[in-house]
Short mmCIF file of all heavy atoms in Angstrom, two decimals:
data_model
loop_
_atom_site.label_atom_id
_atom_site.label_comp_id
_atom_site.label_asym_id
_atom_site.label_seq_id
_atom_site.Cartn_x
_atom_site.Cartn_y
_atom_site.Cartn_z
N LYS L 247 146.27 63.77 321.40
CA LYS L 247 145.91 64.70 320.25
C LYS L 247 145.50 66.08 320.95
O LYS L 247 145.02 66.15 321.91
CB LYS L 247 144.80 64.12 319.44
CG LYS L 247 145.11 63.02 318.56
CD LYS L 247 145.81 63.61 317.26
CE LYS L 247 146.00 62.51 316.24
NZ LYS L 247 146.59 63.07 314.95
N THR L 248 145.82 67.14 320.10
CA THR L 248 145.36 68.47 320.60
C THR L 248 145.16 69.35 319.43
O THR L 248 145.80 69.12 318.26
CB THR L 248 146.49 69.09 321.50
OG1 THR L 248 145.96 70.22 321.97
CG2 THR L 248 147.75 69.29 320.74
N GLY L 249 144.37 70.32 319.50
CA GLY L 249 144.16 71.28 318.45
C GLY L 249 143.39 72.54 318.89
O GLY L 249 142.98 72.52 320.12
N TYR L 250 143.32 73.54 318.11
CA TYR L 250 142.74 74.74 318.44
C TYR L 250 141.99 75.38 317.25
O TYR L 250 142.23 75.09 316.10
CB TYR L 250 143.71 75.82 319.02
CG TYR L 250 144.69 76.29 318.00
CD1 TYR L 250 144.48 77.46 317.21
CD2 TYR L 250 145.89 75.55 317.82
CE1 TYR L 250 145.42 77.85 316.30
CE2 TYR L 250 146.74 75.94 316.85
CZ TYR L 250 146.52 77.11 316.07
OH TYR L 250 147.41 77.53 315.03
N ASP L 251 141.00 76.45 317.70
CA ASP L 251 140.28 77.15 316.57
C ASP L 251 141.16 78.23 315.96
O ASP L 251 141.59 79.19 316.70
CB ASP L 251 139.00 77.69 317.14
CG ASP L 251 138.15 78.26 316.16
OD1 ASP L 251 138.63 78.66 315.12
OD2 ASP L 251 136.93 78.43 316.51
N PRO L 252 141.55 78.13 314.73
CA PRO L 252 142.31 79.24 314.19
C PRO L 252 141.79 80.67 314.27
O PRO L 252 142.55 81.58 314.15
CB PRO L 252 142.63 78.73 312.75
CG PRO L 252 141.41 77.83 312.45
CD PRO L 252 141.06 77.08 313.74
N GLU L 253 140.43 80.70 314.43
CA GLU L 253 139.91 82.10 314.48
C GLU L 253 140.36 82.82 315.63
O GLU L 253 140.41 83.97 315.69
CB GLU L 253 138.35 81.92 314.51
CG GLU L 253 137.73 81.53 313.10
CD GLU L 253 136.27 81.58 313.19
OE1 GLU L 253 135.78 82.27 313.97
OE2 GLU L 253 135.64 81.00 312.23
N TYR L 254 140.83 82.12 316.76
CA TYR L 254 141.33 82.65 317.86
C TYR L 254 142.92 82.66 317.95
O TYR L 254 143.46 82.76 319.09
CB TYR L 254 140.70 82.01 319.16
CG TYR L 254 139.12 82.35 319.21
CD1 TYR L 254 138.28 81.54 318.51
CD2 TYR L 254 138.70 83.38 319.95
CE1 TYR L 254 136.91 81.75 318.67
CE2 TYR L 254 137.38 83.66 319.96
CZ TYR L 254 136.42 82.89 319.34
OH TYR L 254 135.10 83.04 319.43
N ARG L 255 143.51 82.46 316.94
CA ARG L 255 144.93 82.29 316.92
C ARG L 255 145.66 83.36 317.68
O ARG L 255 146.70 83.22 318.34
CB ARG L 255 145.51 82.23 315.57
CG ARG L 255 146.91 81.77 315.34
CD ARG L 255 147.44 81.99 313.98
NE ARG L 255 146.48 81.42 313.02
CZ ARG L 255 146.54 80.25 312.47
NH1 ARG L 255 147.37 79.41 312.91
NH2 ARG L 255 145.70 79.77 311.58
N ALA L 256 145.22 84.56 317.50
CA ALA L 256 145.83 85.76 318.05
C ALA L 256 145.92 85.64 319.61
O ALA L 256 146.81 86.28 320.26
CB ALA L 256 145.20 87.08 317.75
N PHE L 257 145.11 84.83 320.17
CA PHE L 257 144.93 84.73 321.61
C PHE L 257 145.68 83.41 322.17
O PHE L 257 145.70 83.13 323.36
CB PHE L 257 143.51 84.60 322.13
CG PHE L 257 142.82 85.88 321.93
CD1 PHE L 257 141.95 86.04 320.73
CD2 PHE L 257 142.95 86.95 322.81
CE1 PHE L 257 141.24 87.20 320.57
CE2 PHE L 257 142.30 88.23 322.57
CZ PHE L 257 141.30 88.27 321.50
N ALA L 258 146.35 82.69 321.22
CA ALA L 258 147.09 81.51 321.47
C ALA L 258 146.36 80.58 322.43
O ALA L 258 146.85 80.27 323.57
CB ALA L 258 148.48 81.99 322.19
N PRO L 259 145.19 80.08 322.00
CA PRO L 259 144.37 79.17 322.95
C PRO L 259 145.15 77.96 323.07
O PRO L 259 144.94 77.31 324.23
CB PRO L 259 143.11 79.00 322.06
CG PRO L 259 143.45 79.27 320.70
CD PRO L 259 144.50 80.35 320.68
N GLY L 260 145.92 77.43 322.28
CA GLY L 260 146.71 76.17 322.46
C GLY L 260 147.70 76.23 323.57
O GLY L 260 147.87 75.46 324.51
N GLN L 261 148.38 77.51 323.64
CA GLN L 261 149.35 77.73 324.74
C GLN L 261 148.62 77.75 326.16
O GLN L 261 149.02 77.32 327.09
CB GLN L 261 150.20 78.91 324.44
CG GLN L 261 151.24 78.67 323.42
CD GLN L 261 152.12 79.94 323.46
OE1 GLN L 261 151.69 81.13 323.43
NE2 GLN L 261 153.46 79.70 323.25
N LEU L 262 147.57 78.63 326.06
CA LEU L 262 146.78 78.68 327.25
C LEU L 262 146.21 77.36 327.75
O LEU L 262 146.33 77.07 328.97
CB LEU L 262 145.57 79.73 327.11
CG LEU L 262 145.81 81.15 326.91
CD1 LEU L 262 144.66 81.95 326.51
CD2 LEU L 262 146.41 81.67 328.33
N MET L 263 145.76 76.56 326.85
CA MET L 263 145.30 75.18 327.29
C MET L 263 146.47 74.46 327.79
O MET L 263 146.33 73.74 328.90
CB MET L 263 144.78 74.47 326.02
CG MET L 263 144.56 72.99 326.12
SD MET L 263 143.24 72.59 327.16
CE MET L 263 142.00 72.36 325.92
N ARG L 264 147.65 74.48 327.35
CA ARG L 264 148.81 73.69 327.71
C ARG L 264 149.14 74.24 329.21
O ARG L 264 149.47 73.38 329.99
CB ARG L 264 149.98 73.86 326.80
CG ARG L 264 150.98 72.82 327.00
CD ARG L 264 150.40 71.49 326.58
NE ARG L 264 149.61 71.53 325.51
CZ ARG L 264 148.31 71.11 325.46
NH1 ARG L 264 147.79 70.51 326.66
NH2 ARG L 264 147.54 71.10 324.42
N TYR L 265 149.21 75.48 329.31
CA TYR L 265 149.43 76.04 330.69
C TYR L 265 148.57 75.49 331.69
O TYR L 265 149.00 75.01 332.80
CB TYR L 265 149.52 77.54 330.58
CG TYR L 265 149.70 78.23 332.03
CD1 TYR L 265 151.00 78.58 332.39
CD2 TYR L 265 148.65 78.59 332.76
CE1 TYR L 265 151.28 79.26 333.64
CE2 TYR L 265 148.84 79.22 333.96
CZ TYR L 265 150.16 79.49 334.45
OH TYR L 265 150.43 80.11 335.62
N LEU L 266 147.34 75.56 331.44
CA LEU L 266 146.23 75.12 332.41
C LEU L 266 146.19 73.67 332.70
O LEU L 266 146.00 73.13 333.74
CB LEU L 266 144.81 75.56 331.95
CG LEU L 266 144.64 77.10 331.87
CD1 LEU L 266 143.29 77.35 331.28
CD2 LEU L 266 144.67 77.63 333.31
N MET L 267 146.50 72.85 331.64
CA MET L 267 146.50 71.34 331.77
C MET L 267 147.80 70.91 332.49
O MET L 267 147.67 70.01 333.35
CB MET L 267 146.49 70.86 330.45
CG MET L 267 145.03 70.86 329.68
SD MET L 267 143.73 70.12 330.66
CE MET L 267 144.15 68.36 330.38
N ILE L 268 148.95 71.54 332.31
CA ILE L 268 150.09 71.21 333.08
C ILE L 268 149.88 71.66 334.54
O ILE L 268 150.22 70.95 335.41
CB ILE L 268 151.32 71.93 332.54
CG1 ILE L 268 151.69 71.34 331.11
CG2 ILE L 268 152.50 71.69 333.45
CD1 ILE L 268 152.76 72.00 330.32
N GLU L 269 149.30 72.84 334.72
CA GLU L 269 149.03 73.24 336.16
C GLU L 269 148.08 72.22 336.85
O GLU L 269 148.31 71.98 338.03
CB GLU L 269 148.30 74.64 336.16
CG GLU L 269 148.13 75.20 337.48
CD GLU L 269 147.47 76.52 337.41
OE1 GLU L 269 146.60 76.79 336.46
OE2 GLU L 269 147.65 77.43 338.39
N LYS L 270 147.06 71.81 336.08
CA LYS L 270 146.19 70.88 336.67
C LYS L 270 146.82 69.51 336.97
O LYS L 270 146.60 68.84 338.01
CB LYS L 270 145.07 70.51 335.72
CG LYS L 270 143.89 69.66 336.20
CD LYS L 270 142.79 69.48 335.28
CE LYS L 270 141.63 68.69 335.77
NZ LYS L 270 141.03 69.39 336.95
#
């Protein structure tokens, strides 16, 4: 499961999370 805070949608936190988790 995954989700993000829509208040920060402009910063694409979901994409940033995915990048960092795949890198990990």
Side-chain angles (χ1 to χ4, degrees):
K247 283 284 191 174
T248 186
Y250 66 91
D251 186 340
E253 289 189 16
Y254 292 87
R255 190 192 312 271
F257 296 98
Q261 281 188 322
L262 284 171
M263 166 74 94
R264 201 59 42 231
Y265 176 88
L266 293 173
M267 289 299 288
I268 292 174
E269 182 182 33
K270 186 175 182 65

